[in-house]
Each structure stands twice: as structure tokens, then as C-alpha cells.
Amino acid sequence: MPDAEQIRATVQRYTEVFSAGDKDAYVGLFAADATLEDPVGGEVHRGTEAISAFWDMTRQMTPEIELTVTGPVRVAGANAAFPGEARPLLGEDRMMVPVIDVLAFDEAGKITQLRAFWDFADLRPAE
């Protein structure tokens, strides 16, 4: 099982590659049978092919999204939860929505489940 330091490093890498627009590195963080639910209550994307398609769909809506961690990454066993902000560029406007991400990891340190808690109702102009 990955230790807390490895999990925190993967969370950091997740935000870096997502923000950099590095699709291959992003998809490479996930186990082959991983699930992604973003936002929670929406469609659950299963497997790296579906996660890759989710990336494409998201980047069609906005080609640029900054993802930052805004508080401590809490690790319990092979799971992590952390607060963050997604800052998409919508047209000419930089927007912001607060997010709580919850991730689970396998023995190899790959993400097996990602659940992003956020709501479009919270989307507002970034300051």
C-alpha cells in the first residue's frame, strides 16, 4: 500500500498535470479499472479509456483549467481528501469553483477512484 507521503505526492502530481493540460500524464495516474465521478452525482466514468474521454469532453468546454489544493491533504489508509479550487477559463473570464476531491489508491499508488464534490451553482468569477 502506498504511504501517506506517496499519496500526497500523487495528489500534487494530479493537480500539476491537470493544470498543465497534460492528458497523458493525467490518465497515467489512474489504475486501468479506476472510476471518476466529477461532479459527484454525475456520470461515473470507468476505466482509463472513459477517463480519457472525460478529459476530452472537459477540455472541449474549456481548454484551460487550473486546479489547486487550498488546504491540507488528509490521508487515511489508501485514501485522500482535500479542498481545492478549479479555475476554468470560460471565454475571456477566469472563473472559480470550490471543490473537495476524494481519492482512493491501489497498492501501486495508482488512483482507483476519484470523486469530486462541487456544484455549478458555486461557480463565480475568480478574484
Side-chain angles (χ1 to χ4, degrees), residues 3-122:
D3 63 25
E5 183 178 313
Q6 291 169 305
I7 288 173
R8 285 188 181 93
T10 300
V11 167
Q12 181 65 35
R13 180 85 176 128
Y14 160 73
T15 61
E16 289 171 354
V17 300
F18 188 89
S19 297
D22 188 340
K23 176 183 172 181
D24 291 338
Y26 175 79
V27 174
L29 294 172
F30 290 86
D33 59 349
T35 61
L36 182 148
E37 187 178 4
D38 183 354
V40 168
E43 181 179 353
V44 177
H45 307 275
R46 297 183 188 283
T48 53
E49 189 173 311
I51 292 168
S52 178
F54 168 81
W55 172 280
D56 293 340
M57 177 197 65
T58 300
R59 295 302 167 128
Q60 286 174 359
M61 292 187 294
T62 176
E64 186 179 312
I65 307 172
E66 297 170 2
L67 184 61
T68 59
V69 175
T70 60
V73 176
R74 305 291 185 190
V75 177
N79 299 276
F82 58 93
E85 288 182 355
R87 300 171 58 93
L89 185 61
L90 301 177
E92 300 290 319
D93 300 319
R94 176 70 62 190
M95 303 298 284
M96 189 282 293
V97 65
V99 179
I100 300 289
D101 279 336
V102 178
L103 288 73
F105 297 84
D106 66 12
E107 298 79 23
K110 296 279 190 174
I111 300 168
T112 59
Q113 182 183 54
L114 185 151
R115 300 183 78 215
F117 292 80
W118 63 275
D119 191 309
F120 277 111
D122 296 324

